[in-house]
C-alpha cells in the first residue's frame, strides 16, 4: 500500500534528470498514486507536474525541499502542500537561488585550485536554466574524466574538506519552517539519518523543529537504511511528529532508490498524509 505514495523527488527544475512532465509519467509507470514533487529551493515545476498528474490519475502534492543551515550544518526541510503562489515563500526561495549562483562560482574557484578549469561552465551545461547544485558539478566532473561516477566524485571533490566544497549560509531553520507553515504547508525534516548528528544534537533538532511548528520527519526514504526506518519511527513517536516517506528519486542512474518500491512505514507511525483528501484511497 505504502509504495503508492511518494512525497520526495526531483525534476530538472533542480537536480533531477527528468522534466516535471516526464517525472510524473515515470511515477505513474511505477504505480505511484499520490506524488509530491520537492525540487530544491524552487517551486517552478509544480504547475507542470500537477497538470501531468491530472492526465495520469495521480493525486499531486505541491512540495519543495529547502536548504537550511543549522549549527553550521546543512539540513533539508521539505514543505508539503505549500501554496505555490505564496509571495513570501516565492521571494525567500528566489534569494536562496541567487546565493546559490555565487556559491557555484566559489565551488568552481575551489576546483580551479586543483587544476580543474571551466567547472562553472561545465556544470552549467548540466543545470541549464535551473539552479546550480553540487550534483551538476559532479556530473560535469564525471564527464570530464575526474572520477568514474557521481558517488566517487562526491567523496573526492564535493564534500566537506574537499576542493569543491564551500561553507554556505542557507536559510535558517525557523525561517524555513515558518515560511512553509505560513504558506499553508506542512514542514518535514528530510532524511534525518543523513546528517550525522549525535544523540544530543538530533534530539535538540527535533525539539527545536517542533517548537517552530514543524510537524513531521521522513522515516522511510531512499537515503535511510532499514534499521534507520525503525530508529526514526521511534524518534517520531517520542517527539510527537508524523512520519513521511519518499524515494528522493533524481532520475535514472542518479538515485538511491527507484520510484514505486517504498516499504510500509513501521508500525505505530502516524502518516503525514493521515488527514489528506488527496490520500483518501490510501487511508481507506
Ligand atoms: P547542493 O544542494 O548543491 O549542496 O547539492 C546537494 C545534492 O547533491 C543533493 O540533493 C543530492 O542530490 C546530491 N548529493 C549530495 N551528496 C551526495 C553523494 N554523496 N552522492 C551523490 N549525490 C549526492
Ligand atoms: Mn538533490
Ligand atoms: Mn535532500
Ligand atoms: Mn531530495
Amino acid at each position: 500500500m505504502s509504495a503508492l505514495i511518494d512525497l520526495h523527488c526531483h525534476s530538472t527544475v533542480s537536480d533531477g534528470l527528468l522534466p516535471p512532465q516526464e517525472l510524473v509519467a515515470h511515477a505513474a509507470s511505477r504505480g505511484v498514486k499520490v506524488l509530491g514533487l520537492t525540487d530544491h529551493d524552487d517551486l517552478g515545476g509544480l504547475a507542470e507536474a500537477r497538470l501531468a498528474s491530472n492526465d495520469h490519475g495521480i493525486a499531486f502534492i505541491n512540495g519543495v525541499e529547502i536548504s537550511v543551515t543549522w549549527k553550521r550544518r546543512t539540513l533539508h526541510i521539505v514543505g508539503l502542500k505549500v501554496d505555490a503562489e505564496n509571495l513570501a515563500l516565492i521571494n525567500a526561495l528566489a534569494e536562496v537561488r541567487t546565493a546559490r549562483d555565487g556559491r557555484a562560482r566559489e565551488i568552481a574557484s575551489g576546483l580551479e585550485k586543483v587544476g580543474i578549469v571551466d567547472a562553472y561552465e561545465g556544470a552549467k551545461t548540466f543545470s541549464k536554466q535551473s539552479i546550480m547544485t553540487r550534483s551538476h558539478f559532479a556530473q560535469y566532473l564525471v564527464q570530464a574524466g575526474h572520477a568514474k561516477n557521481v558517488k566517487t566524485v562526491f567523496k573526492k571533490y564535493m564534500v566537506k574538506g574537499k576542493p569543491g566544497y564551500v561553507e554556505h549560509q542557507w536559510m535558517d531553520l525557523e525561517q524555513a519552517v515558518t515560511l512553509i507553515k505560513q504558506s499553508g504547508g506542512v514542514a518535514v525534516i528530510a532524511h534525518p539519518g543523513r546528517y550525522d548528528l549525535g544523540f544530543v544534537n538530533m534530539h535538540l533538532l527535533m525539539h527545536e523543529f517542533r517548537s517552530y511548528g514543524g510537524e513531521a520527519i521522513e522515516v522511510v526514504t531512499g537515503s535511510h537504511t532499514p534499521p534507520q526506518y525503525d530508529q526514526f519511527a521511534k524518534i517520531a513517536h517520542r517527539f510527537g511528529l508524523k512520519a513521511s516517506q519518499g524515494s528522493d528519486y533524481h532520475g535514472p542512474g542518479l538515485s538511491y532508490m527507484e520510484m514505486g518500491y517504498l516499504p510500509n512505514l513501521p508500525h505505530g507511525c502516524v502518516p503525514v498524509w493521515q488527514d489528506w483528501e488527496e490520500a483518501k484511497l490510501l487511508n481507506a
Side-chain angles (χ1 to χ4, degrees):
M1 202 58 175
S2 224
L4 302 178
I5 179 163
D6 192 329
L7 298 174
H8 189 149
C9 64
H10 297 270
S11 76
T12 47
V13 165
S14 60
D15 56 351
L17 296 178
L18 304 176
Q21 199 180 354
E22 286 175 37
L23 180 72
V24 170
H26 182 73
S29 77
R30 314 296 324 179
V32 173
K33 299 287 182 213
V34 182
L35 179 70
L37 172 63
T38 55
D39 276 308
H40 297 287
D41 307 315
D42 205 323
L43 306 169
L46 299 178
E48 182 184 325
R50 181 171 290 279
L51 273 176
S53 292
N54 288 341
D55 292 342
H56 288 281
I58 284 180
F60 185 73
I61 307 294
N62 279 355
V64 63
E65 183 173 17
I66 304 181
S67 312
V68 157
T69 299
W70 183 76
K71 288 179 170 279
R72 297 192 61 199
R73 290 176 175 82
T74 302
L75 309 180
H76 288 169
I77 304 297
V78 160
L80 297 173
K81 293 174 87 73
V82 292
D83 174 6
E85 310 293 321
N86 183 275
L87 276 183
L89 181 60
I90 289 171
N91 291 338
L93 293 176
E95 270 183 44
V96 176
R97 293 197 299 274
T98 303
R100 257 189 189 278
D101 194 62
R103 171 193 187 240
R105 291 181 190 282
E106 287 179 50
I107 289 176
S109 65
L111 292 169
E112 211 170 299
K113 292 198 179 90
V114 293
I116 300 171
V117 294
D118 296 335
Y120 183 88
E121 291 71 18
K124 198 87 200 162
T125 65
F126 287 92
S127 72
K128 305 205 171 72
Q129 310 302 319
S130 306
I131 57 166
M132 300 268 271
T133 72
R134 282 183 296 157
S135 288
H136 298 116
F137 280 95
Q139 288 168 66
Y140 169 67
L141 291 177
V142 172
Q143 185 196 53
H146 297 286
K148 64 176 192 302
N149 57 36
V150 163
K151 205 179 150 82
T152 49
V153 106
F154 260 91
K155 272 202 198 121
K156 222 168 132 186
Y157 292 104
M158 306 307 301
V159 295
K160 213 172 216 162
K162 302 296 174 181
Y165 184 88
V166 297
E167 287 265 338
H168 185 76
Q169 185 66 39
W170 301 104
M171 199 184 284
D172 77 47
L173 179 64
E174 180 172 16
Q175 189 190 1
V177 174
T178 304
L179 281 167
I180 290 167
K181 280 198 76 78
Q182 288 181 350
S183 76
V186 179
V188 183
I189 300 176
H191 42 65
R194 247 173 60 183
Y195 305 132
D196 205 18
L197 297 168
F199 181 89
V200 170
N201 276 331
M202 184 61 77
H203 283 66
L204 204 59
L205 170 63
M206 297 298 155
H207 182 76
E208 215 178 297
F209 174 69
R210 242 191 82 109
S211 77
Y212 300 142
E215 292 174 56
I217 63 174
E218 287 184 345
V219 169
V220 169
T221 132
S223 307
H224 282 174
T225 60
Q228 286 178 319
Y229 302 161
D230 293 325
Q231 181 192 348
F232 288 101
K234 286 200 187 95
I235 289 181
H237 185 256
R238 183 172 313 156
F239 286 88
L241 294 161
K242 293 177 184 162
S244 188
Q245 66 172 43
S247 58
D248 210 352
Y249 185 71
H250 281 72
L254 205 64
S255 288
Y256 305 102
M257 196 186 246
E258 179 48 274
M259 281 182 150
Y261 288 106
L262 291 169
N264 289 334
L265 288 174
H267 188 71
C269 285
V270 180
V272 67
W273 59 86
Q274 181 174 240
D275 303 321
W276 295 357
E277 192 62 26
E278 295 88 341
K280 250 190 345 218
L281 84 139
L282 307 174
N283 297 328

